[in-house]
C-alpha cells in the first residue's frame, strides 16, 4: 500500500504533499485516499443532496404561499404543526386561509410533487435501462395507451366514480400498461434487445395514437375534454389523488432505488453485465415494470405532462454526474421541485384562469430537448 | 521451444491428484507435475438463432490450472463465440466445467449454477468493451465486484481495498478519478484488465486483448497478463490474431477452422507451414526468431519472386 501513495506523483486533487511520506501500515481510511477515486466512486455528495432537498422544500413553501390569496410563508409551518396537533404551537392563520392551505394548496402541491417525482424517476430508469438518453415511458406506449384509454371513456360518456376511483383515471392506467405490454410483446418478438423494444414502443405509440385520433374525430363533443386531459392538469379537491398515487411512488420508487447499483452495471452492456454476474434480462424486466407502473399511475391522476421524464434526469446528469446512484435519487427530488414550480406557473401566470401544466412543462422542455440533441455528447447515460 | 520451457502450472503443488482426464498438453512435458484441469470443454457447440448454421461445433479440450491457451484461426472461425460459450454468455450445447485448483481433492467438475457464481470463477474481457461516458476508472473497476456483492449491497471497504490493490498493481492509481473516455488505448486495456482482475476469478478469458494496440503496448499487455497469471495462478484462455505473440506467450494453441478444432498442441506443433497454409488459405513461411520462437510470415500470392528469400 505504500506504493499506492507513491505512485501518484502530482496526481489527483486530494494529493497533499504530506501524504507521500506515510510509512507502511494499514490501509488509510476510505475517505482519506481521495487520489485513487475509489472513496468518491458512485457517491452521492451530501452537498448535492442537501441542495436538492433545500430546493424542493423552498419550492413547496413558495407554492403554498403564492396564489390569489396570499398566505404568509412564516405561518405555514406553525399551521402544519398545529394541524398535526403538536403541543404548544398556535397558528395565526384565519379559518379561510386554513381551508385554502389544507384543502387546496397542500394537496395540490403534494400531488404535483408526487407526479413530478414519479415521471422523473421513471424517465431516469428508462434512460438507464435502454442506455438511450431520449428514452422515456411516454415513448414506450405509456402516453399513447393512457390517451386512448381516457378517450374511450370520455368519448363513450362512461365517466363515473367508483369510490375513490374515477373511470377516466382507471382507463388511463389500464391503457398505459396495455401500451407498454404491447410494446414489450412486440419487442420480444423482434429480439428483445433495448433498441428493438424502443422501436416497438414507437410503433405501438403511433398505432394507438392513430386509433385515438380517429375516435376523437368521430365525436367532436368530447374533443375539448379529451384535449384538456391530454394537456395534463393537477386540479384536485382534497387528498384522494394523493392517496391513489402515493403507494405506487413509494413501492416502485423503493424497488428502483434499490436496484440503482445494478443499473450502473447495465451501463457496460448486456454481455459484459452478464459476465460480471448479473442477469441483465431479469433486472431490466423488474425495472421496466416498476418504471411503467410509476408512469401509468402518474398519468392516470394528472394526464399527459410531457418532458418531465427527460428534462429532470438530464439536468441532474449535467450537474451531478452520470452514476445512477446519483441520478435516480436526485431525479426523484428534482422532479418534485420541477413540477411544483411548473404548477405554480400554471395557476398564477394567467390567474384566475389556469394554463395547462403540460403547456408549461413542454414550453420549458421542448427547447431543452433540442438543446440536448444539439449538444449531443453532453447527454450522457 | 521457449514456450515449452515455461512451467506448465506455476505454483501448483507437485502431487495433486488430477481429475479423471489426463491434463496438460498432448505429448506435453515429461518433467511437469500433473496439474489439475481448470477448464474442461466437452463437445461445445454454438449457433445463433434457431435455424442459424453452427459457428462452433463439438469442441472438446482441457486447460490445466495456470496454463495459457490461445485460440487462433482465421476470421469467423468461431474463436469469440467459443470464448463467450466458455464464459456462459451465449447459449451452447455440450458442457463447460470448471474444477477448483489447486486443491482439487475430489477432482469432480461441476456446473456453475448462476451468473453470479460463474462470474466469481470466470472473468471475461470483451474485444471492444463498452465504455460508459462519464464513468471514472475507479467506478468502472469497482463494477468487477458485482459477483461478490449481495443484491441490495453496495461496495464496501473490502471491495474498495481489492480495487485499490489491483489499480496499484497495474499502475493505474493516479487515473482513478479520471473519466474512462479520457484514457488512451493502452491505458484502457489495463483498466479493462483491472476490472476483470477485481473479479478475483481463477480463469481469465481475453478476446483479442491486443487488437486495438500498437506493437509496444500490445506486448506490454501480454507481458502483464503473463505476470499476473504467475502471480495469481490464473488460467488464461485468449483469442489471438497475432500468431507470433500467441506462440510466444501461450503454452498451447488451439486452431479453430469453420467452428471446428483443426489443430491443438504446443506452439511448435501448431505453427507449422503446412497447417497454417492450409487453414488460413494462404502460403506462409515460419521462421525462427533469435529466442527460437516461431515467426509467421505470410507470403504474397500474386508475385512469385518472394520464393528466393534465404532460409535462416
Amino acid at each position: 500500500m505504500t506504493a499506492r501513495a507513491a505512485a501518484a506523483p502530482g496526481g489527483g486533487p486530494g494529493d497533499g504533499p504530506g501524504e507521500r511520506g506515510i510509512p507502511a501500515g494499514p490501509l488509510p481510511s476510505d475517505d482519506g485516499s481521495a487520489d485513487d477515486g475509489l472513496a468518491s466512486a458512485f457517491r452521492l455528495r451530501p452537498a448535492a443532496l442537501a441542495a436538492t432537498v433545500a430546493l424542493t422544500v423552498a419550492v413547496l413553501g413558495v407554492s403554498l404561499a403564492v396564489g390569489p390569496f396570499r398566505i404568509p410563508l412564516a405561518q405555514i409551518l406553525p399551521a402544519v404543526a398545529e394541524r398535526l396537533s403538536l403541543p404548544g404551537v398556535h397558528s395565526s392563520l384565519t379559518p379561510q386561509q386554513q381551508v385554502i392551505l389544507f384543502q387546496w394548496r397542500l394537496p395540490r402541491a403534494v400531488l404535483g410533487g408526487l407526479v413530478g417525482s414519479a415521471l422523473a424517476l421513471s424517465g431516469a430508469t428508462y434512460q438507464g435501462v435502454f442506455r438511450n438518453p431520449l428514452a422515456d415511458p411516454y415513448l414506450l406506449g405509456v402516453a399513447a395507451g393512457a390517451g386512448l384509454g381516457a378517450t374511450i371513456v370520455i368519448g363513450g360518456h362512461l365517466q363515473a366514480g367508483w369510490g375513490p376511483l374515477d373511470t377516466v383515471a382507471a382507463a388511463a392506467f389500464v391503457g398505459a400498461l396495455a401500451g407498454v405490454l404491447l410494446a414489450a410483446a412486440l419487442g420480444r418478438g423482434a429480439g428483445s434487445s433495448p433498441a428493438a423494444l424502443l422501436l416497438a414502443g414507437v410503433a405501438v405509440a403511433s398505432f394507438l395514437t392513430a386509433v385515438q385520433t380517429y375516435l376523437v374525430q368521430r365525436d367532436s363533443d368530447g374533443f375539448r375534454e379529451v384535449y384538456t386531459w391530454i394537456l395534463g392538469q393537477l386540479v384536485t379537491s382534497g387528498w384522494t389523488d394523493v392517496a391513489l398515487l402515493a403507494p405506487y411512488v413509494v413501492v416502485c420508487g423503493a424497488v428502483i432505488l434499490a436496484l440503482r447499483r445494478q443499473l450502473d452495471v447495465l451501463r457496460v452492456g448486456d454481455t459484459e453485465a452478464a459476465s460480471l454476474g448479473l442477469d441483465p434480462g431479469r433486472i431490466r424486466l423488474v425495472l421496466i415494470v416498476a418504471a411503467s407502473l410509476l408512469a401509468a399511475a402518474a398519468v392516470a391522476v394528472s394526464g399527459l405532462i410531457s418532458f418531465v421524464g427527460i428534462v429532470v434526469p438530464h439536468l441532474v446528469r449535467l450537474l451531478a454526474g452520470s452514476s445512477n446512484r446519483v441520478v435516480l435519487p436526485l431525479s426523484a427530488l428534482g422532479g418534485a421541485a420541477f413540477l411544483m414550480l411548473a404548477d405554480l406557473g400554471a395557476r398564477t401566470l394567467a390567474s384566475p384562469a389556469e394554463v395547462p401544466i403540460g403547456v408549461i412543462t413542454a414550453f420549458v422542455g421542448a427547447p431543452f430537448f433540442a438543446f440536448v440533441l444539439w449538444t449531443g455528447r453532453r447527454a450522457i447515460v | 521451444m521457449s514456450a515449452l520451457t515455461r512451467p506448465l502450472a506455476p505454483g501448483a503443488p507437485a502431487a495433486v491428484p488430477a481429475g479423471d482426464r489426463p491434463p496438460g498438453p498432448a505429448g506435453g512435458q515429461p518433467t511437469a507435475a500433473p496439474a489439475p484441469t481448470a477448464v474442461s470443454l466437452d463437445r461445445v457447440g454454438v449457433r445463433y438463432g434457431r435455424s442459424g448454421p453452427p459457428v462452433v461445433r463439438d469442441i472438446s479440450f482441457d486447460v490445466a490450472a495456470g496454463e495459457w491457451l490461445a485460440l487462433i484461426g482465421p476470421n469467423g472461425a468461431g474463436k469469440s463465440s467459443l470464448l463467450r460459450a466458455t464464459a456462459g454468455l451465449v447459449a451452447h450445447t455440450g458442457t463447460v466445467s470448471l474444477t477448483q485448483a489447486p486443491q482439487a481433492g475430489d477432482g469432480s467438475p461441476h456446473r456453475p449454477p448462476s451468473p453470479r457464481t460463474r462470474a466469481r470463477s470466470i472473468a471475461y474481457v470483451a474485444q471492444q468493451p463498452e465504455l460508459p461516458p462519464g464513468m471514472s476508472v475507479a467506478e468502472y473497476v469497482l463494477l468487477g465486484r458485482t459477483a461478490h456483492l449481495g443484491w441490495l449491497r453496495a461496495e464496501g471497504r473490502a471491495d474498495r481495498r481489492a480495487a485499490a490493490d489491483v489499480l496499484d498493481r497495474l499502475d493505474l492509481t493516479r487515473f482513478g478519478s479520471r473519466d474512462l473516455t479520457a484514457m488512451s488505448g493502452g491505458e484502457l486495456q489495463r483498466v479493462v484488465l483491472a476490472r476483470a482482475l477485481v473479479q478475483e476469478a481463477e480463469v481469465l478469458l481475453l478476446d483479442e486483448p491486443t487488437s486495438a494496440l500498437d506493437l509496444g503496448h500490445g506486448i506490454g499487455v501480454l507481458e502483464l497478463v503473463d505476470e499476473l497469471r504467475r502471480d495469481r495462478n490464473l488460467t488464461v484462455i485468449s483469442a489471438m490474431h497475432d500468431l507470433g505473440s500467441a506462440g510466444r506467450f501461450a503454452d498451447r494453441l488451439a486452431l479453430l477452422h469453420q467452428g471446428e478444432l483443426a489443430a491443438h498442441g504446443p506452439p511448435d506443433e501448431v505453427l507449422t507451414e503446412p497447417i497454417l497454409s492450409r487453414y488460413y488459405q494462404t502460403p506462409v513461411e515460419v521462421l525462427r526468431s533469435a529466442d527460437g520462437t516461431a515467426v509467421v510470415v505470410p507470403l504474397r500470392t500474386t508475385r512469385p519472386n518472394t520464393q528466393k528469400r534465404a532460409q535462416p
Side-chain angles (χ1 to χ4, degrees):
Chain A
M1 276 304 98
T2 45
R4 205 145 74 83
D15 186 29
E19 210 174 311
R20 280 174 226 166
I22 297 175
L27 188 75
S29 77
D30 286 344
D31 327 46
S33 50
D35 61 336
D36 59 13
L38 288 166
S40 57
F42 304 116
R43 282 280 160 82
L44 172 54
R45 281 198 216 92
L49 182 63
T52 317
V53 170
L55 175 74
T56 311
V57 171
V59 171
L60 174 66
V62 171
S63 65
L64 293 180
V66 174
F69 289 88
R70 292 194 66 83
I71 298 176
L73 201 55
Q75 289 302 320
I76 291 173
L77 215 52
V80 172
E82 189 188 51
R83 186 78 167 191
L84 296 172
S85 344
L86 294 187
V89 189
H90 292 288
S91 152
S92 55
L93 291 184
T94 63
Q96 189 194 24
Q97 284 175 320
Q98 296 225 9
V99 168
I100 288 170
L101 180 61
F102 291 111
Q103 293 303 309
W104 294 96
R105 289 198 194 154
L106 191 57
R108 182 162 171 162
V110 170
L111 183 68
L114 287 176
V115 168
S117 219
L119 292 177
L121 191 56
S122 80
T125 307
Y126 267 70
Q127 285 145 31
V129 165
F130 292 108
R131 297 197 294 141
N132 185 326
L134 301 180
D136 178 75
Y138 283 13
L139 218 60
L140 212 76
V142 166
L148 180 58
T151 304
I152 289 171
V153 170
I154 294 170
H157 305 288
L158 304 169
Q159 292 105 317
W162 306 328
L165 215 64
D166 91 80
T167 43
V168 178
F173 184 77
V174 171
L177 290 185
V180 177
L181 281 178
L182 211 57
L186 201 61
R188 204 176 172 76
S192 97
S193 74
L197 196 48
L198 220 49
L199 286 173
V202 172
V204 167
S206 298
F207 179 76
L208 296 180
T209 307
V211 176
Q212 183 202 349
T213 310
Y214 173 73
L215 290 179
V216 169
Q217 283 282 315
R218 278 192 354 153
D219 171 29
S220 51
D221 292 349
F223 175 74
R224 193 183 160 81
E225 204 178 334
V226 169
Y227 189 65
T228 308
W229 187 87
I230 284 174
L231 287 175
Q233 72 282 311
L234 287 175
V235 181
T236 70
S237 50
W239 294 89
T240 315
D241 285 343
V242 171
L244 280 176
L245 180 56
Y248 288 95
V249 174
V250 170
V251 173
C252 298
V255 168
I256 289 170
L257 289 175
L259 292 176
R260 61 198 187 280
R261 184 181 190 282
Q262 277 80 354
L263 202 50
D264 270 337
V265 179
L266 281 186
R267 292 176 68 197
V268 299
D270 278 12
T271 307
E272 289 185 66
S275 83
L276 290 171
L278 222 60
D279 185 340
R282 189 182 298 174
I283 301 280
R284 192 158 49 224
L285 179 69
V286 172
L287 284 169
I288 290 176
V289 167
S292 303
L293 278 173
L294 257 186
V299 166
V301 300
S302 70
L304 299 179
I305 300 176
S306 55
F307 285 115
V308 181
I310 289 197
V311 173
V312 175
H314 279 294
L315 270 179
V316 170
R317 282 191 196 95
L318 289 173
L319 295 174
S322 60
S323 164
N324 287 303
R325 292 177 238 190
V326 174
V327 172
L328 293 176
L330 290 190
S331 293
L333 280 168
F338 178 81
L339 209 65
M340 286 192 288
L341 202 60
D343 189 45
L344 184 63
R347 57 192 176 81
T348 54
L349 284 181
S351 179
E354 283 211 15
V355 182
I357 189 170
V359 171
I360 305 260
T361 57
F363 194 75
V364 178
F368 187 83
F369 196 76
F371 168 76
V372 168
L373 285 172
W374 196 37
T375 53
R377 290 189 59 81
R378 295 200 68 191
I380 45 183
V381 174
Chain B
M1 275 300 125
S2 81
L4 281 181
T5 59
R6 194 170 287 140
L8 189 64
V16 174
D20 47 349
R21 30 180 113 237
Q29 267 189 312
T31 53
T37 302
V39 183
S40 179
L41 272 60
D42 186 23
R43 285 180 297 148
V44 170
V46 179
R47 66 170 76 217
Y48 295 110
R50 278 182 214 109
S51 54
V55 291
V56 172
R57 286 179 238 210
D58 280 352
I59 289 192
S60 307
F61 56 70
D62 295 343
V63 187
E67 194 184 15
W68 184 337
L69 177 93
L71 300 174
I72 59 170
N75 292 335
K79 305 185 292 287
S80 292
S81 297
L82 183 59
L83 269 189
R84 287 198 202 116
T86 309
L89 302 175
V90 291
H92 61 85
T93 54
T95 54
V96 176
S97 40
L98 302 179
T99 314
Q100 293 290 326
Q103 60 277 58
D106 50 325
S108 60
H110 61 278
R111 290 197 77 179
S114 72
R116 208 175 107 113
T117 321
R118 194 180 51 224
R120 284 195 239 176
S121 309
I122 302 183
Y124 166 81
V125 173
Q127 185 175 357
Q128 287 177 319
E130 196 87 36
L131 303 168
M135 188 178 272
S136 75
V137 168
E139 290 177 336
Y140 185 77
V141 171
L142 277 175
L143 295 183
R145 297 301 293 174
T146 301
H148 295 270
L149 299 173
W151 256 68
L152 301 180
R153 277 198 43 230
E155 297 88 349
R157 215 176 135 73
D159 302 299
R160 279 199 285 277
R161 184 192 293 258
D165 285 347
V166 170
L167 286 176
D168 179 33
R169 175 67 185 81
L170 302 197
D171 200 19
L172 289 167
T173 304
R174 64 184 181 281
F175 297 121
S177 22
R178 194 183 286 189
D179 195 303
L180 282 179
T181 46
M183 303 286 283
S184 75
E187 290 161 355
L188 272 178
Q189 198 63 43
R190 293 213 310 274
V191 171
V192 174
L193 207 51
R195 192 189 77 187
L197 290 175
V198 164
Q199 263 177 266
E200 290 176 352
E202 59 265 27
V203 178
L204 182 59
L205 306 182
L206 306 168
D207 195 354
E208 303 277 4
T210 60
S211 60
L213 302 179
D214 64 45
L215 214 59
H217 284 101
I219 284 292
V221 163
L222 294 176
E223 290 287 8
L224 180 61
V225 168
D226 198 40
E227 279 171 39
L228 294 165
R229 168 171 85 114
R230 289 148 189 279
D231 289 357
R232 300 175 171 233
N233 199 21
L234 299 175
T235 305
V236 179
I237 304 179
S238 62
M240 291 175 84
H241 223 76
D242 176 10
L243 299 174
S245 296
R248 206 160 287 130
F249 284 93
D251 299 313
R252 274 188 306 144
L253 306 183
L255 193 156
L256 302 192
H257 181 251
Q258 295 181 350
E260 286 173 1
L261 190 58
H264 180 210
D268 285 330
E269 292 176 15
V270 177
L271 298 182
T272 63
E273 286 167 14
I275 290 181
L276 296 179
S277 299
R278 179 174 167 203
Y279 292 111
Y280 283 85
Q281 299 197 326
T282 190
V284 301
E285 196 173 336
V286 178
L287 310 174
R288 293 284 146 194
S289 69
D291 64 356
T293 54
V295 178
V296 179
V297 182
L299 302 177
R300 289 200 57 173
T301 49
T302 50
R303 226 184 287 162
N305 61 355
T306 47
Q307 284 166 353
K308 59 186 181 186
R309 184 169 292 166
Q311 293 290 319

